[in-house]
């Protein structure tokens, strides 16, 4: 796993947007897996600008999202469906038939997870998986302890994640459960780009890069991935030892 460190959030976001755009230009039918949250917002913003001003086209790409809260209908304002429409899918030129976000309101969530894995297989697997990282090291909603061989499934969110994500809701906690792409689903991606910004991610980044590879630190799994790159701003890299980043 390589780490690239940028002076600030904007530089990191622009760099990752260029990597995604470059891969899309090489392979217009790219299959992407994408995160929500605060970290990828400026990457999306830059990709939208490239679409508008430079003609970057997403028409032949396929999009999968990493996760969705269980129990939220796709039109719930805190759902990841709405987030993606507002920040990305609604601002570019995707083929709606090739946008996949887990349906948190599916009557049979287990069947929804199987359907999701099947759709990924039918698309030929994920080419580029973009990830954020939780303060506890989660990727997608794979919380500490998630088995490395897990696939898309219903998971319980940790108390800390529910607290951190509560600001999207009018309650004190985000929902209890979510559907997430599994650890193995993520690992099978040809290329993984993990984004982290800010000092509140520095501990998780350092643990993922420098401590033992362990299911208790989900992001550490990426150390054995053949093509995983960390995109960090300086604050997120601030706990790394010498010689790791550069
Ligand atoms: C969201 C997701 C999560 C976030 C992580 C960081 O789809 O999969 O793993 O990437 O919680 O969130 P932010 O960027 O808000 O700090």
């Amino acid at each position: 796993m390589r780490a690239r460190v940028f002076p600030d959030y904007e530089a990191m976001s622009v760099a990752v947007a260029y990597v995604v755009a470059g891969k899309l230009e090489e392979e217009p039918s790219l299959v992407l897996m994408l995160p929500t949250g605060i970290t990828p917002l400026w990457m999306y913003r830059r990709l939208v600008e490239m679409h508008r001003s430079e003609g970057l086209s997403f028409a032949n790409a396929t999009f999968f999202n990493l996760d969705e809260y269980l129990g939220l209908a796709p039109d719930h304002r805190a759902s990841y469906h709405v987030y993606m429409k507002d920040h990305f899918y609604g601002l570019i030129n995707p083929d709606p038939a090739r946008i996949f976000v887990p349906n948190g309101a599916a009557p049979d969530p287990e069947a929804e997870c199987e359907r999701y894995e099947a759709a990924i297989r039918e698309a030929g697997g994920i080419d580029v998986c973009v990830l954020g990282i939780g303060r506890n090291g989660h990727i997608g909603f794979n919380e500490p302890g998630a088995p490395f061989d897990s696939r898309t499934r219903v998971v319980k969110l940790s108390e800390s994640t529910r607290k951190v994500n509560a600001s999207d809701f009018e309650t004190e906690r985000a929902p209890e459960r979510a559907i997430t792409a599994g650890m193995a689903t993520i690992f099978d991606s040809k290329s993984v780009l993990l984004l982290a910004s800010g000092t509140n991610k520095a501990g998780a980044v350092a643990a993922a890069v420098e401590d033992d590879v362990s299911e208790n630190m989900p992001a550490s799994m990426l150390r054995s991935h053949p093509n995983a790159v960390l995109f960090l701003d300086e604050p997120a890299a601030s706990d790394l030892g010498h010689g790791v980043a550069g």
Side-chain angles (χ1 to χ4, degrees):
M1 181 160 70
R2 273 191 311 129
R4 295 179 60 187
V5 182
F6 300 86
D8 55 31
Y9 173 62
E10 182 172 2
M12 185 270 277
S13 305
V14 169
V16 75
Y18 272 109
V19 170
V20 172
K23 287 182 185 280
L24 189 65
E25 276 164 355
E26 264 168 41
E27 177 52 76
S29 58
L30 200 69
V31 181
L32 286 153
M33 181 163 262
L34 296 173
T36 58
I38 294 167
T39 315
L41 283 173
W42 282 29
M43 172 194 76
Y44 290 135
R45 185 194 281 193
R46 186 74 191 102
L47 286 168
V48 169
E49 278 170 18
M50 288 179 189
H51 167 65
R52 288 186 177 155
S53 60
E54 297 159 34
L56 182 68
S57 176
F58 296 87
N60 295 309
T62 301
F63 304 90
F64 287 90
N65 266 83
L66 278 159
D67 38 28
E68 177 61 287
Y69 291 109
L70 196 71
L72 294 199
D75 61 354
H76 189 289
R77 64 178 183 78
S79 75
Y80 289 163
H81 281 79
V82 168
Y83 171 105
M84 290 306 293
K85 189 164 162 271
D86 288 354
H87 295 293
F88 196 44
Y89 300 145
L91 308 175
I92 54 168
N93 64 333
D95 174 352
R98 284 200 290 267
I99 295 177
F100 298 87
V101 183
N103 180 2
D108 182 346
E110 309 299 335
E112 172 65 6
C113 295
E114 278 171 33
R115 185 192 71 85
Y116 209 65
E117 279 287 328
I120 293 170
R121 278 196 303 276
E122 271 163 40
I126 306 294
D127 293 313
V128 180
C129 177
V130 182
L131 298 171
I133 181 170
R135 295 176 203 189
N136 62 1
H138 73 212
I139 50 177
F141 273 143
N142 293 285
E143 300 282 27
F148 283 169
D149 63 358
S150 55
R151 293 275 162 194
T152 303
R153 67 203 186 291
V154 174
V155 290
K156 256 184 85 118
L157 297 177
S158 71
E159 273 302 296
S160 62
T161 298
R162 292 182 64 206
K163 247 185 178 170
V164 170
N165 291 8
S167 55
D168 295 334
F169 296 86
E170 275 152 18
T171 51
E172 277 176 18
R173 296 280 191 279
E176 267 175 42
R177 293 189 297 161
I179 292 177
T180 184
M183 295 296 283
T185 318
I186 291 170
F187 195 85
D188 285 350
S189 307
K190 289 192 192 113
S191 149
V192 177
L193 313 174
L194 185 145
L195 282 47
S197 167
T199 42
N200 60 14
K201 300 295 173 66
V205 166
V209 172
E210 294 173 351
D211 291 353
D212 291 342
V213 172
S214 157
E215 288 178 348
N216 291 325
M217 175 43 65
S220 68
M221 175 187 71
L222 301 174
R223 299 241 295 276
S224 49
H225 192 281
N227 194 9
V229 183
L230 295 182
F231 285 75
L232 310 173
D233 62 12
E234 272 172 13
S238 58
D239 281 0
L240 288 175
H242 295 292
V244 178

